[in-house]
């Protein structure tokens, strides 16, 4: 298991970002869904967590077969999804990810938000070793070229509503307001010969997702700043319906709660999956042995 802590500062307050986070997740999910792949929202409702009490729970299925690297495609069945379960007790959130066919895969992200510049070393109760703490700078840290948009470049950004921006070098030490998104991330892939490679791959991608997501939250501030919680929930419901309509018609994925394996899967693939800890297929269908919890905002 590989655990790291990421700290991402933004020129916002924690109170503002509560609205921005909900808006950003809804918009981004819709933008990233097309041609039967992307994010399907299964439920989004008030719920009570056994440890943290009342909050909002969201369950999603993320279909991304075509986006996997070649080595991962060779291990996965034709149809599968990533299950995301998120509990929002703002300013504290917990997100867990699991694979529909692979119990030995898990990602756990715990997030806490504070109005500071990332200076709290004890936000999770015990300090994370310094070598496992990474500060991500939404202004200057590189992102994959394919995700770069000039409109989201915070060195050029200026908000007409908040009169903030553009950001300049050293902004994290000087800017007010400022808040920090603290994320403790655990990636686990207990498969002999693939664990280190896969966990490193997951953290590299999580780093990029966090950078892009938090850049967008700031760049899109004029779209959501000033909305009430009720208004952003209405927007969330509208975008959820649009997103699901992009994914469901063409995904070819099963509609039942039991994840399915393609009937064209070879004997070799089935043996590989058994070694990796997947449930044995029976008549083309498999049901996991109970709920699989993983150890993760909005992105």
């Amino acid at each position: 298991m590989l655990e790291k802590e990421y700290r991402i500062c933004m020129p916002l307050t924690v109170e503002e970002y509560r609205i921005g986070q909900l808006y950003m997740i809804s918009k981004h999910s819709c933008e990233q869904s097309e041609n039967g792949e992307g994010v399907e929202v299964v439920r989004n409702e008030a719920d009570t967590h056994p440890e943290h009490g009342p909050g909002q729970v969201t369950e999603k299925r993320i279909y991304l077969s075509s986006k996997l690297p070649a080595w991962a495609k060779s291990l996965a069945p034709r149809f599968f999804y990533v299950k995301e379960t998120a509990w929002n007790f703002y300013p504290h959130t917990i997100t867990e990810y699991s694979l529909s066919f692979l119990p030995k895969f898990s990602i756990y992200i715990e997030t806490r938000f504070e109005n500071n510049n990332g200076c709290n070393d004890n936000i999770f109760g015990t300090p994370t070793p310094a070598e496992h703490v990474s500060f991500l700078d939404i202004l200057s840290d590189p992102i994959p070229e394919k995700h770069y948009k000039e409109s989201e470049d915070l060195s050029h950004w200026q908000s007409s509503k908040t009169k903030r921006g553009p950001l300049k070098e050293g902004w994290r030490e000087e800017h007010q307001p400022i808040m920090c998104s603290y994320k403790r991330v655990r990636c686990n892939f207990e498969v002999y010969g693939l664990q280190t490679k896969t966990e490193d791959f997951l953290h590299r991608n999580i780093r990029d997702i966090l950078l892009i997501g938090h850049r967008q939250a700031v760049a899109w501030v004029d779209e959501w700043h000033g909305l009430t919680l009720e208004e952003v929930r209405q927007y969330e419901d509208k975008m959820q319906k649009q997103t699901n309509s992009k994914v469901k018609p063409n995904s070819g994925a099963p509609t039942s709660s039991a994840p399915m394996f393609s009937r064209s899967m070879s004997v070799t693939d089935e043996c590989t999956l058994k070694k990796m800890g997947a449930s044995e297929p029976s008549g083309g269908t498999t049901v996991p042995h109970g709920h699989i919890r993983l150890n993760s905002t909005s992105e």
Side-chain angles (χ1 to χ4, degrees):
M1 180 179 68
L2 185 57
E3 179 176 318
K4 295 184 179 182
E5 181 183 324
Y6 299 96
R7 301 180 189 179
I8 313 101
C9 292
M10 292 178 286
L12 304 168
T13 67
V14 170
E15 294 73 21
E16 289 172 331
Y17 186 59
R18 182 179 190 184
I19 301 298
Q21 181 190 39
L22 295 172
Y23 181 93
M24 177 191 67
I25 292 173
S26 299
K27 179 177 178 178
H28 190 265
S29 294
C30 191
E31 287 186 346
Q32 296 300 309
S33 300
E34 60 182 356
N35 300 324
E37 289 200 346
V39 182
E40 176 191 1
V41 181
V42 179
R43 65 177 176 136
N44 182 13
E45 60 195 20
D47 190 56
T48 300
H49 190 278
E51 179 181 353
H52 302 286
Q56 189 83 5
V57 63
T58 305
E59 183 181 326
K60 301 176 182 177
R61 292 179 181 178
I62 306 168
Y63 301 93
L64 40 59
S65 300
S66 68
K67 295 180 174 61
L68 291 178
W71 61 268
K73 286 183 180 179
S74 68
L75 300 174
R78 183 181 175 189
F79 298 130
F80 77 96
Y81 57 84
V82 177
K83 177 182 176 182
E84 175 193 290
T85 306
W87 290 270
N88 191 335
F89 318 99
Y90 202 84
H92 176 208
T93 67
I94 297 172
T95 309
E96 299 179 339
Y97 295 90
S98 61
L99 280 174
S100 59
F101 70 99
L102 188 58
K104 292 189 176 183
F105 168 93
S106 66
I107 300 174
Y108 172 94
I109 304 178
E110 181 178 5
T111 305
R112 292 183 180 271
F113 305 104
E114 283 193 346
N115 286 318
N116 57 47
N117 67 350
C119 58
N120 188 350
D121 293 329
N122 296 301
I123 193 164
F124 294 110
T126 56
T128 302
E131 63 270 24
H132 294 154
V133 177
S134 296
F135 284 87
L136 305 185
D137 192 333
I138 59 174
L139 172 64
S140 59
D141 280 0
I143 61 172
E145 185 177 352
K146 65 181 179 180
H147 294 301
Y148 175 82
K149 295 180 181 179
E150 186 175 357
S151 61
E152 296 171 1
D153 187 332
L154 300 182
S155 65
H156 305 305
W157 159 79
Q158 190 159 21
S159 166
S160 60
K161 285 188 176 181
T162 67
K163 310 303 180 186
R164 299 169 201 166
L167 298 184
K168 299 180 180 180
E169 184 177 355
W171 72 275
R172 194 166 60 86
E173 305 302 325
E174 303 171 358
H175 197 283
Q176 289 297 328
I178 191 168
M179 63 161 289
C180 184
S181 172
Y182 295 82
K183 292 185 176 287
R184 182 167 60 182
V185 181
R186 301 179 197 142
C187 295
N188 195 22
F189 189 72
E190 297 178 357
V191 178
Y192 180 75
L194 292 174
Q195 182 167 8
T196 300
K197 180 178 182 179
T198 303
E199 291 177 357
D200 286 343
F201 169 80
L202 290 171
H203 271 286
R204 287 197 306 272
N205 279 271
I206 288 169
R207 175 196 175 280
D208 289 343
I209 290 169
L210 293 177
L211 266 176
I212 295 166
H214 288 80
R215 281 166 61 106
Q216 289 175 336
V218 176
W220 298 347
V221 67
D222 286 345
E223 297 182 28
W224 56 260
H225 196 274
L227 294 176
T228 65
L229 185 58
E230 180 180 358
E231 288 171 336
V232 81
R233 288 294 186 194
Q234 291 173 354
Y235 174 82
E236 185 181 42
D237 183 61
K238 172 186 173 182
M239 298 304 285
Q240 174 181 315
K241 292 175 182 176
Q242 290 184 21
T243 302
N244 284 0
S245 70
K246 290 182 177 184
V247 176
K248 285 183 176 180
N250 305 311
S251 68
T255 56
S256 67
S257 60
M260 296 183 69
F261 292 94
S262 167
R263 290 182 181 273
S264 63
M265 185 185 296
S266 69
V267 173
T268 302
D269 289 333
E270 291 183 7
C271 292
T272 300
L273 289 170
K274 290 179 188 178
K275 292 177 182 178
M276 294 170 71
S279 304
E280 182 177 358
S282 176
T285 306
T286 182
V287 180
H289 301 297
H291 177 61
I292 301 164
R293 294 177 68 94
L294 340 179
N295 282 345
S296 150
T297 126
S298 88
E299 307 221 301

